[in-house]
Structure formats: structure tokens, C-alpha cells
Amino acid sequence: MTSYNCPECGTRAPVETANWCCPNCRSPWDLDFAATAVSLKSLPARVNSLWRYEEALPLAQPAVSLGEGRTPLVALTETVFAKLDFLMPTLSFKDRGAVLLAELARRLAPRRVIADSSGNAGTAIAAYCARAGLDCTVYVPEETSAKKVEQIRAHGAHLELVPGDRESTAQAARAAADRTGTFYASHVYNPYFLHGTKTYVYELWEDLGGTLPDAIVVPVGNGTLLLGADLAIGELHACGLISERPALIAVQAEAVSPLAAAFHSGADALPEEPAPAPPPAPTLAEGIAIPRPPRAKQILRAVRASGGTFLTVTEDQIRAAQLDLASRGLFVESTGVACWAAAGTWSEGTAVVPLCGAGLKTGLAPQSVQ
């Protein structure tokens, strides 16, 4: 294992003994890790999971894999393609990062693992901790989809239903994370998760014969898929495996779009939060309804550096996009259709959208959001 580093103040700490965040400024960690070039020709003979990109991963030879990764890429139009990440073991793309967190926790052997989530990350952490034989507690907002709550419980995790919004849930988990013997399997604060989600782009690169599309469109709440994509693009470019970097197109629900507002105002960070903060507006896209993502600066910087932009979608557009995808044979949860709802406004070359979670997790979007 390598070391954590803080992108804000430069603090470094060994993975084996580090706090869950930088002890000096409380920022999320990055990872001191350098990927080496993956040979495209060698891949067909390798394991058929995300672990085939071993040169790009900070862990190897996992004991907790469920065969995650290698999801299909299908055409939706002549220029827009969808990657079916809802066909993962726990039915969402979060498995990509969760498997690395669970593998890391297995090696560190804590007394307990905790996580917080709006649903999908929690189900993924619960499943992979079950696979690893780790005691796991997942904190979720009390309004989380009943089907996601049922899935977390089915994997044997302890469940903490937290009154209030997603930020209240995160605060409760972070307080518990400071207890001795606890591994905080945070998909936001722990960079191993981002090194899992980056395999999404490595798979695109492989399936497209060593190239990438002109744009990668991703839903953004805490930004774990976007930041993973940015990592992979940087690594592929640094290794000479791509010559052009795709634009990152970030999508938020119009009802909860702090990053889009900051981006279009020219800001490089979110404004200082007033006290008390107003509650976020309701949205069908519960998985990206994050009012203050801890990695906001990194997300804004990545989108700008790529030449991309932020797009927002309305509740009516989300609902219509879910029905449209269902009519094409793809039943996707309401958060996961946000990128397809936005893709119609992008006309600058080829693009790939992720279909991040299965429709069975939330059912069809209702006609109104209360």
C-alpha cells in the first residue's frame, strides 16, 4: 500500500495508520500512486473484471471480487452511447469503488467498517463487506428508497436511518468514523474509491479500441465517477495511450445544482455556507442531491481543464428520460437517467453516458416530487 496526500495543504500519511481525512485541514485525501501503461493487446487473456487493469490499480490480487466491471456499451443514437453500469453485482456503478474499499479494509483488519450514502454506495459497501467478512454499519437518510434500505439489510449490514438530508447523514457517519478501530469506507473521502471508478474509462478505452469519445457525460453529486474519469484520462494520456482528452460534461438536477451554479459563475469553489443552511429542494435524482460536496474544488477544476461544462435537468426531463430509456429496453433508476436527459443538448461529437443504477432500486419516477 502507498500513502495518502492532502491536495489542499500537502500533508502526507501512510494508509495503514492515517485518519479518514487530513488531520490538519479536514480535506479528503488523494493517493500517492502512479499508474503504468496497460497493454491493450494483453487484455483479452486477463480476468474478465475491472481487475484486468492491474497496472492502473493501487491494489492487486483481491479476495473480495464479485466479478464487477466489464459492463456493456450500447448505442442509443448514432453519436451517443450508454454504458450499462446498472448490470453490476449490486446494480449500480458504485461497485467499482466499493470493491477497492472493502479490499483495503480487509487488509487493514479494523474492528468495524462504517459508510454513509444516499443508497447505492451503501448497498455496495454492505455487499462487499459481507464478501470480506467485515462488520459493517451504513448510515442513510431516513427518506432513502425502501428498496435500497432492504438491499443494505439483506447483505447483513447494520443500518442507521438518520433524520434530515444527505449532509446530516454524512455528519453522523463522520462523527462515528473517529472511534478507535473504525475504517471509514467513504466513497467521498477515501481516494481508493476513485481509483475504482476510474476503471469505467479504462473499459471505454478498451471497448473503443484504444480511443475515447469526444465527451464523457456523468451525473455529479459528490463527483466520484467524474473524478475517477478524470484520473483515468490523465493516466491514459500520461502513458501515451490516448492523444486527445475528452470533455467532461457534468450533469446535476436543476433542483440541487450547487456545482453548476459555481461553474457558470466562474467560481473555483462553493460559496461559504450561510448558517443555518436552507434545506435542499426535493428531486427525483436523490443520488446526486448533494448541496456541499467535499471535493467541490477538484470537480470544478477537472471539468474546466477538460474543456467541458455543467448541464442541469428538470424533474420533468428526468421523468421523461426514464420512460424513454424504458421504451428502449433499459429500466434505469431516476438518478441514473439524468445524463440521458441532458445528452440531447450536447451535439459536439460522440458521447458516452453511464446508466448508473437499476430501475428496480427506485421504481418509476412519480408524476410529482413532494
Side-chain angles (χ1 to χ4, degrees):
M1 287 179 281
T2 181
S3 298
Y4 292 133
N5 71 78
C6 176
E8 294 299 317
C9 70
T11 297
R12 281 178 161 75
V15 168
E16 295 86 345
T17 59
N19 295 333
W20 56 268
C21 67
C22 174
N24 293 327
C25 67
R26 305 293 283 183
S27 295
W29 292 116
D30 281 349
L31 195 64
D32 285 328
F33 172 77
T36 57
V38 177
S39 168
L40 193 63
K41 292 182 179 179
S42 72
L43 291 176
R46 297 188 182 187
V47 61
N48 193 37
S49 74
L50 62 80
W51 295 95
R52 69 204 275 113
Y53 311 109
E54 58 186 3
E55 298 91 338
L57 293 173
L59 296 173
Q61 299 180 327
V64 299
S65 176
L66 292 167
E68 54 287 330
R70 302 295 294 134
T71 54
L73 185 67
V74 301
L76 294 178
T77 71
E78 290 185 359
T79 58
V80 179
F81 298 81
K83 189 153 175 60
L84 310 190
D85 259 24
F86 65 86
L87 298 178
M88 289 281 199
T90 76
L91 308 182
S92 91
F93 88 92
K94 296 290 176 63
D95 290 1
R96 293 185 182 277
V99 67
L100 265 78
L101 289 186
E103 180 63 28
L104 176 61
R106 185 189 68 81
R107 298 180 189 196
L108 296 177
R111 288 202 291 270
R112 69 189 69 83
V113 174
I114 68 167
D116 60 281
S117 169
S118 58
N120 283 340
T123 62
I125 296 295
Y128 284 96
C129 281
R131 181 76 166 176
L134 295 167
D135 182 82
C136 178
T137 298
V138 180
Y139 292 72
V140 299
E142 61 183 359
E143 297 302 320
T144 297
S145 163
K147 295 179 181 180
K148 293 178 183 178
V149 168
E150 180 182 5
Q151 189 179 7
I152 292 169
R153 285 182 168 139
H155 290 307
H158 311 287
L159 192 68
E160 293 285 345
L161 295 172
V162 180
D165 60 12
R166 180 66 180 85
E167 182 58 27
S168 299
T169 301
Q171 289 173 359
R174 291 169 200 160
D178 289 326
R179 290 183 295 172
T180 302
T182 299
F183 177 80
Y184 185 23
S186 173
H187 60 293
V188 181
Y189 278 83
N190 193 302
Y192 277 86
F193 194 92
L194 306 182
H195 284 269
T197 61
K198 76 181 181 185
T199 60
Y200 174 88
V201 168
Y202 275 90
E203 290 178 19
L204 291 180
W205 171 77
E206 180 183 357
D207 289 343
L208 295 174
T211 64
L212 289 175
D214 298 308
I216 297 176
V217 188
V218 290
V220 174
N222 277 309
T224 55
L225 183 54
L226 184 139
L227 291 173
D230 183 57
L231 266 176
I233 292 166
E235 291 171 354
L236 289 167
H237 190 267
C239 290
L241 298 174
I242 57 171
S243 57
E244 299 291 332
R245 296 172 181 248
L248 292 171
I249 311 302
V251 180
Q252 294 203 290
E254 186 178 275
V256 186
S257 52
L259 291 167
F263 180 89
H264 291 297
S265 73
D268 61 4
L270 295 182
E272 291 297 322
E273 185 179 15
T283 176
L284 296 166
E286 64 179 12
I288 54 173
I290 309 297
R292 299 196 64 80
R295 293 187 185 267
K297 288 183 180 179
Q298 291 175 276
I299 296 165
L300 293 166
R301 185 165 56 243
V303 174
R304 286 203 176 95
S306 76
T309 191
F310 270 83
L311 303 174
T312 60
V313 292
T314 67
E315 301 306 299
D316 285 344
Q317 287 175 311
I318 292 171
R319 188 179 299 106
Q322 187 184 37
L323 293 173
D324 180 70
L325 283 173
S327 74
R328 298 166 185 259
L330 300 166
F331 186 30
V332 183
E333 70 169 321
S334 49
T335 296
V337 304
C339 289
W340 177 234
T345 65
W346 179 259
S347 58
E348 301 179 32
T350 58
V352 173
V353 302
L355 303 185
C356 296
L360 294 175
K361 286 176 171 281
T362 56
L364 284 172
Q367 289 302 304
S368 62
V369 181
Q370 300 299 323

